[in-house]
Amino acid sequence: MTDDAAAIALVGLGNLGLPMANRLRERGHEVVGVDLDPDRRAAFAAGGGSATTLDESSPRSVLCLVVPDDQAVTALTEPGRLAGLVRPGGLILMHSTVSPALAARLGADCRSVGYGFVDAPVSGGAERAADGSLTIMVGAEADDHDRAGPLLGDLGSDVIHLGPPGAGSAAKLANQLMLFATLAGAYEAMDLARGFGLTEEAVLRVAGTGTARSWVTDQWGFFDGLTRDYDAAGVTDDHRPWAKDPAQAVRAAGELGLDAPFAAMITERLPGLIRRHADRRGES
């Protein structure tokens, strides 16, 4: 690893950020976890990590952003805030799910003042974050991609360079829309099968060897557990991926002049379906 990644500030020790920070430490990187929540800082410190707040953080060579949305990313990349988090000439890795337009703008703005910038949203969940097998969708100029490559390789088993900043975020929105469309359909399918007296286990046995097999059916119950984790962490409903990501896709499509009726329907319907299923499974 180059000297550029000798000291990393990772902002956002949530469901993905915490295992990512731990993974980087395990790979020998010096990592400081940054979070407003004292419980999250304590969780990182309990594993041997060093944690601090935004106000107390000092500039590092590499800044990893694992915060929820456009608003959080924008606040952290304001010139005054950014200068307190990353050293001049440092490298910024944005792992958040944001609009492609914001990622492209940030890439241009950061490079114009001498920072490297990599739009690098991830997919795979906390378990794959912990073992370094995430899929990472990269939008970056070639020099920044090369510079970040070894670090991204410690976090992901599939690191895919798709184009300049904005390309990674566009791929992440597409991935999320496919995932949540499948999940919404699966919940409705289970309701239909249940109405005819079938159990979920029976339907999953069929789907597991049939044409409906998908990550959703292979990992059935994943979103029940994630709902409980978010409940315990106090994450509000509008900041959960199945609420904010389809809504982000609707806005991005609108910016392109495209119609996105399925994304709009998923935005409206899926959060309730996930909550209902998680509550039902919690009672069983």
Side-chain angles (χ1 to χ4, degrees):
M1 195 65 218
T2 66
D3 288 341
D4 285 326
I8 301 167
L10 187 145
V11 182
L13 296 170
N15 181 261
L16 280 175
L18 179 59
M20 289 172 68
N22 285 328
R23 168 67 181 178
L24 290 171
R25 284 189 62 250
E26 290 170 3
R27 296 294 293 172
H29 299 284
E30 177 190 339
V31 182
V32 174
V34 183
D35 203 290
L36 295 172
D37 189 327
D39 291 337
R40 291 180 176 182
R41 297 197 302 272
F44 187 49
S50 174
T52 188
T53 65
L54 281 170
D55 291 338
E56 296 174 347
S57 182
S58 58
R60 309 282 167 170
S61 296
V62 177
L63 173 64
C64 295
L65 298 177
V66 198
V67 293
D69 52 27
D70 286 34
Q71 183 178 4
V73 168
T74 300
L76 288 166
T77 52
E78 292 175 350
R81 176 69 77 183
L82 196 58
L85 292 170
V86 60
R87 294 172 183 164
L91 180 65
I92 300 164
L93 306 182
M94 186 181 66
H95 301 297
S96 306
T97 301
V98 303
S99 68
L102 176 60
R105 178 174 66 78
L106 289 178
D109 289 350
C110 289
R111 284 175 61 87
S112 71
V113 291
Y115 293 114
F117 181 86
V118 180
D119 166 29
V122 303
S123 181
E127 186 174 325
R128 286 176 58 185
D131 66 17
S133 64
L134 289 167
T135 295
I136 306 179
M137 295 149 270
V138 180
E141 301 300 340
D143 55 338
D144 288 339
H145 173 250
D146 292 343
R147 186 176 169 190
L151 183 60
L152 295 175
D154 285 338
L155 291 169
S157 57
D158 293 281
V159 180
I160 305 165
H161 188 198
L162 297 154
S169 290
K172 178 63 184 286
L173 284 186
N175 178 85
Q176 297 300 82
L177 188 53
M178 291 181 197
L179 167 65
F180 291 133
T182 303
L183 182 61
Y187 283 134
E188 289 197 5
M190 289 298 188
D191 285 343
L192 178 66
R194 191 180 300 108
F196 285 99
L198 296 177
T199 65
E200 289 189 353
E201 290 72 20
V203 177
L204 290 171
R205 282 171 54 200
V206 172
T209 58
T211 55
R213 184 179 181 183
S214 67
W215 185 93
V216 166
T217 58
D218 287 348
Q219 303 294 328
W220 193 251
F222 174 87
F223 289 97
D224 300 325
L226 191 54
T227 295
R228 291 190 290 271
D229 290 344
Y230 282 143
D231 286 347
V235 177
T236 59
D237 288 347
D238 60 336
H239 279 91
R240 303 185 186 202
W242 48 85
K244 67 182 185 64
D245 294 355
Q248 184 79 269
V250 172
R251 290 191 293 272
E255 291 169 2
L256 296 172
L258 299 175
D259 192 18
F262 291 119
M265 183 170 59
I266 291 165
T267 301
E268 179 182 352
R269 294 276 295 153
L270 185 57
L273 292 171
I274 290 178
R275 168 59 67 188
R276 186 182 66 176
H277 193 269
D279 289 348
R280 181 187 294 137
R281 290 289 288 265
E283 293 168 358
S284 62

